[in-house]
């Protein structure tokens, strides 16, 4: 998920860093969209055998059923920002919840393969919206000093959703009850829809600086009131106004940049992908996502139970749950070290551990050694969680110019979804043909990614601007 924690304008004075009840409630409601994203990523993992039997499909068709989720995500994430800019984030979360409900309901009630495909695709549309809206909303409502911590809630929520799907399978992973796991998705969707309608506040930043309305004064006053409640009603108004002035200064800085360089006014994908001034940004965005996904993590998220069934059939599900719990805990802890150790060192540590784990995992599966397979999967997932999971999206934002941050994140998201689709579709095919050797392919991608990080990716720790990261702009 994206992290937008670095302010564009230097911040001075006393800032607010209080966890208020309205802030916690808003973070929780917002996080439900990420929880559902993780849930749908993993919902087919445990009951995959029973899904194949019930729908009469083979392993290749199950792979397509799993990965079509990413096609829905690719399409919706491309136009998600247009909805939020025009209608606000509260309406955007309502739309996201509706797609989650409809997609999950179709999945749970489908007796035919093509209807299940439609349901998965619809759930993917919701996930694509969520992956855009959640980090933006988190950034908008969080005090500057808490953005790093609250920004990590997004990835933690995804891992929690994966864990929920695995835990539900303890009771419902049977030929008769597997649909109950799927049905839980629309229950989550209804819960979020109700909470969004009755309790989620609109983004104060959208009301104050993004929203174009004939009633600007009323909207700004409403935004001020919401921000004051989020920060605490006992906080002096002068501090609230100071934060609002930072937002306005960011917008004015962006407008001055466009005024000085008119060609940026209609800046789009094609210009971003072809202009040499954005070579660094698009190279980082492209290879960060390719490296993250072709390291093979979704082979475990999508098919972990199937992999473990081959070496430890009696306890595969419980082992997978323990791995998911470890993943959630490690992600939570590692978020505390991003600003201490730096992005690049932590990413290189993560990749080197992944390479070692993948080689050992391949040996364990090829030689049918249960203990080695289980331990290597655990270290593989854990090493991904400390760096390769949370850092790529963070670095993309930090290595891109102000005027293309949104385009860079959108491009990266598209590459991410396409990569998820490729890995999700091809893994079961490769696994059925070459088995454990598949993980040596993932290891080779990790080696290539580590070389790229070592020699091309800059350290962004403590850098507030593009110039700090790369040196002076040439445009």
């Amino acid at each position: 998920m994206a992290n937008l924690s670095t302010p564009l304008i230097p911040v001075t004075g006393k800032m607010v860093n209080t966890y208020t009840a309205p802030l916690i409630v808003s973070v929780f409601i917002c996080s439900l969209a990420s929880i559902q994203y993780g849930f749908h990523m993993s919902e087919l993992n445990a009951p995959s055998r029973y899904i194949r039997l019930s729908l009469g499909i083979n392993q290749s068709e199950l792979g397509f059923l799993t990965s079509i989720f990413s096609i829905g995500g690719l399409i919706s994430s491309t136009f998600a920002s247009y909805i939020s800019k025009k209608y606000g984030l509260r309406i955007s979360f309502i739309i996201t919840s509706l797609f989650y409900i409809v997609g999950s309901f179709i999945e749970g009630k489908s007796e035919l393969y093509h209807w299940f495909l439609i349901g998965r695709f619809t759930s993917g549309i919701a996930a694509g919206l969520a992956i855009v809206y959640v980090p933006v909303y988190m950034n908008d409502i969080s005090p500057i000093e808490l953005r790093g911590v609250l920004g990590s809630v997004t990835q933690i929520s995804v891992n929690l959703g994966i864990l929920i799907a695995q835990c539900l399978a303890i009771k419902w992973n049977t030929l008769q009850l597997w649909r109950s796991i799927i049905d839980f998705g629309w229950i989550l969707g209804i819960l979020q829809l109700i909470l969004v309608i009755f309790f989620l506040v609109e983004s104060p930043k959208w009301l104050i600086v993004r929203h174009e309305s004939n009633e600007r004064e009323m909207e700004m006053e409403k935004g001020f009131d919401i921000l004051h409640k989020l920060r605490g009603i006992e906080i002096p108004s002068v501090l609230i106004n100071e934060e609002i002035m930072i937002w306005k200064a960011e917008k004015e800085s962006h407008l001055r940049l466009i005024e000085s360089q008119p060609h940026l006014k209609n800046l789009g994908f094609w210009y971003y992908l072809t202009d040499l001034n954005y070579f660094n940004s698009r190279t980082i965005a492209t290879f960060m996502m390719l490296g993250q996904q072709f390291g093979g993590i979704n082979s475990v998220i999508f098919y972990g139970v199937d992999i473990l069934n081959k070496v430890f059939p009696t306890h595969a599900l419980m082992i997978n749950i323990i791995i998911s719990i470890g993943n959630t805990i490690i992600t939570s802890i590692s978020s505390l070290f991003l600003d201490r150790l730096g992005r690049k060192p932590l990413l290189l540590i993560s990749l080197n551990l992944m390479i070692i784990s993948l080689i050992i995992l391949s040996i364990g599966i090829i030689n049918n050694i249960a203990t080695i397979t289980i331990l290597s999967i655990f270290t593989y997932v854990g090493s991904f969680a400390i760096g390769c999971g949370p850092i790529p999206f963070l670095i993309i934002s930090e290595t891109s110019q102000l005027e293309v941050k949104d385009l860079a994140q959108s491009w990266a998201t598209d590459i991410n979804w396409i990569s998820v689709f490729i890995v999700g579709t091809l893994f079961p095919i490769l696994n059925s043909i070459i088995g454990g050797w598949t993980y040596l392919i993932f290891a080779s991608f990790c080696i290539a990614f580590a070389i790229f990080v070592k020699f091309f990716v800059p350290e962004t720790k403590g850098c507030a601007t593009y110039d700090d990261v790369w040196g002076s702009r040439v445009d």
Side-chain angles (χ1 to χ4, degrees), residues 159-185:
N159 292 337
L160 183 59
I162 294 170
L163 179 59
I164 289 172
Q166 300 300 321
C167 289
L168 292 176
I170 295 175
K171 182 177 181 180
W172 292 334
N173 191 34
T174 67
L175 185 60
Q176 293 75 30
L177 298 175
W178 67 266
R179 291 182 187 275
S180 298
I181 301 173
I182 310 299
D183 285 335
F184 192 78

Side-chain angles (χ1 to χ4, degrees), residues 58-275:
N58 57 36
Q59 188 67 43
S60 177
E61 289 170 318
L62 177 66
F64 185 65
L65 181 63
T66 300
S67 54
I68 197 172
F69 175 80
S70 59
I71 299 300
L74 170 65
I75 293 171
S76 63
S77 62
T78 302
F79 63 78
S81 61
Y82 295 101
I83 299 174
S84 61
K85 287 179 180 178
K86 185 172 182 178
Y87 299 106
L89 285 160
R90 188 171 173 275
I91 294 296
S92 298
F93 277 116
I94 290 175
I95 294 171
T96 302
S97 299
L98 289 173
F99 273 109
Y100 271 133
I101 293 167
V102 173
S104 297
F105 188 82
I106 293 174
E107 287 181 59
K109 306 307 175 187
S110 296
E111 298 290 341
L112 299 175
Y113 177 60
H114 68 271
W115 276 109
F116 211 121
L117 285 172
I118 293 172
R120 282 285 289 175
F121 176 81
T122 306
S123 297
I125 290 176
L129 298 175
I131 203 174
V132 174
Y133 297 147
V134 173
V136 172
Y137 187 80
M138 288 285 195
N139 178 74
D140 285 359
I141 67 172
S142 301
I144 292 173
E145 279 82 355
L146 299 180
R147 284 183 189 168
V149 176
L150 293 180
S152 66
V153 171
T154 303
Q155 187 63 43
I156 294 170
S157 299
V158 172
N159 292 337
L160 183 59
I162 294 170
L163 179 59
I164 289 172
Q166 300 300 321
C167 289
L168 292 176
I170 295 175
K171 182 177 181 180
W172 292 334
N173 191 34
T174 67
L175 185 60
Q176 293 75 30
L177 298 175
W178 67 266
R179 291 182 187 275
S180 298
I181 301 173
I182 310 299
D183 285 335
F184 192 78
W186 59 262
I187 295 173
L188 276 176
I190 290 175
L191 173 63
Q192 185 182 28
L193 179 62
I194 293 171
L195 293 176
V196 169
I197 291 173
F198 292 104
F199 299 105
L200 188 70
V201 297
E202 181 55 86
S203 160
K205 192 170 186 178
W206 181 79
L207 288 169
I208 294 170
V209 299
R210 293 202 198 107
H211 187 32
E212 298 296 334
S213 170
N214 295 326
E215 301 176 336
R216 287 295 298 149
E217 292 299 324
M218 186 181 299
E219 295 293 315
M220 290 180 68
E221 185 176 335
K222 182 179 178 182
F224 178 90
D225 291 340
I226 291 174
L227 184 60
H228 207 168
K229 290 178 182 177
L230 289 169
R231 299 294 177 261
I233 57 175
E234 73 283 357
I235 300 298
S237 296
V238 64
L239 291 180
I240 306 301
N241 280 319
E242 183 177 323
E243 187 167 355
I244 291 173
M245 290 306 297
I246 293 172
W247 292 349
K248 290 182 177 179
E250 288 176 346
K251 184 175 183 180
E252 289 169 3
S253 176
H254 183 62
L255 292 175
R256 284 196 300 270
L257 180 65
I258 292 176
E259 186 178 347
S260 64
Q261 302 183 54
H263 67 280
L264 298 178
K265 185 175 183 180
N266 297 314
L267 183 63
F269 257 142
W270 178 249
Y271 194 88
Y272 172 70
L273 294 176
T274 56
D275 192 275

Side-chain angles (χ1 to χ4, degrees), residues 360-411:
I360 296 174
L361 175 58
S362 178
I363 294 171
I365 293 176
I366 291 170
N367 294 283
N368 199 33
I369 306 173
T371 304
I372 290 180
T373 300
I374 294 167
L375 290 176
S376 57
I377 288 178
F378 186 84
T379 57
Y380 169 57
V381 173
S383 56
F384 177 87
I386 67 173
C388 200
I391 290 176
F393 269 114
L394 173 62
I395 282 188
I396 290 164
S397 177
E398 294 176 334
T399 55
S400 299
Q401 295 95 323
L402 171 64
E403 70 273 13
V404 295
K405 283 183 183 288
D406 290 344
L407 285 173
Q409 293 287 2
S410 296
W411 171 247

Side-chain angles (χ1 to χ4, degrees), residues 17 118 161 165 172 199 317 355 421:
N17 61 353
I118 293 172
W172 292 334
F199 299 105
L317 178 57
I355 293 166
F421 176 79

Side-chain angles (χ1 to χ4, degrees), residues 340-351:
R340 297 181 184 180
L341 297 179
R343 283 72 158 137
K344 187 171 181 176
L346 205 54
L347 187 53
L348 286 172
I349 291 171
S350 172
L351 284 168

Side-chain angles (χ1 to χ4, degrees), residues 271-282 401 466 474:
Y271 194 88
Y272 172 70
L273 294 176
T274 56
D275 192 275
L276 288 177
N277 289 313
Y278 305 122
F279 174 81
N280 289 339
S281 172
R282 64 174 175 265
Q401 295 95 323
Y466 178 85
V474 297

